[in-house]
Amino acid sequence: MQIRIEAVDLPGRSCPGGPDSPDLLDVHVAVQRRERPGELLDLHPGDAASAVWTLECTAGPLAGGIDLKGPYVQGRPGQRFVYLVWGNVDQDGGFTMFRRAKLMFDGVDGRILAEAVAAGRLVARLGLTDVKGLPLCAAVRPPLVTWSVESATGV
């Protein structure tokens, strides 16, 4: 099955630094691979109109529900999530992470998850700018994300 993340309202290419750090001028967002924090999927600039990621995963039984696993799925059973990582890209193309958002699966209604397994695709739709105008971070659950089902075949 697939997990498709559709993001809009990205915060922009620049982000103010902290008291002891400079402003960030080339902000990007990507999905971080489990156990390989330097391996990023589909880096998008922070000023893009939207960002989309499609992740392959497997679904299996979990006491009282469904467990998702895959190369980009993090956490323990019952506490699974996907990391959306924010970083600054330097002149040499190096990525330095400065914050992450956890797209939490415990916020997915069990019926929606079961339908997604049958249809082949679970879809997350969310905005990536927080209330302060900065890159979204911390645990992300409804109402900040809307979960739905699509056919993986596009039919």
Side-chain angles (χ1 to χ4, degrees), residues 68-80:
L68 299 179
K69 296 180 186 178
Y72 296 94
V73 177
Q74 315 262 353
R76 299 173 189 235
Q79 302 171 353
R80 303 274 193 210

Side-chain angles (χ1 to χ4, degrees), residues 102-123:
K102 282 182 169 183
L103 189 56
M104 304 297 298
F105 295 135
D106 64 3
V108 181
D109 180 277
R111 291 177 300 229
I112 289 175
L113 188 52
E115 290 174 18
V117 170
R121 184 178 294 148
L122 177 66
V123 180

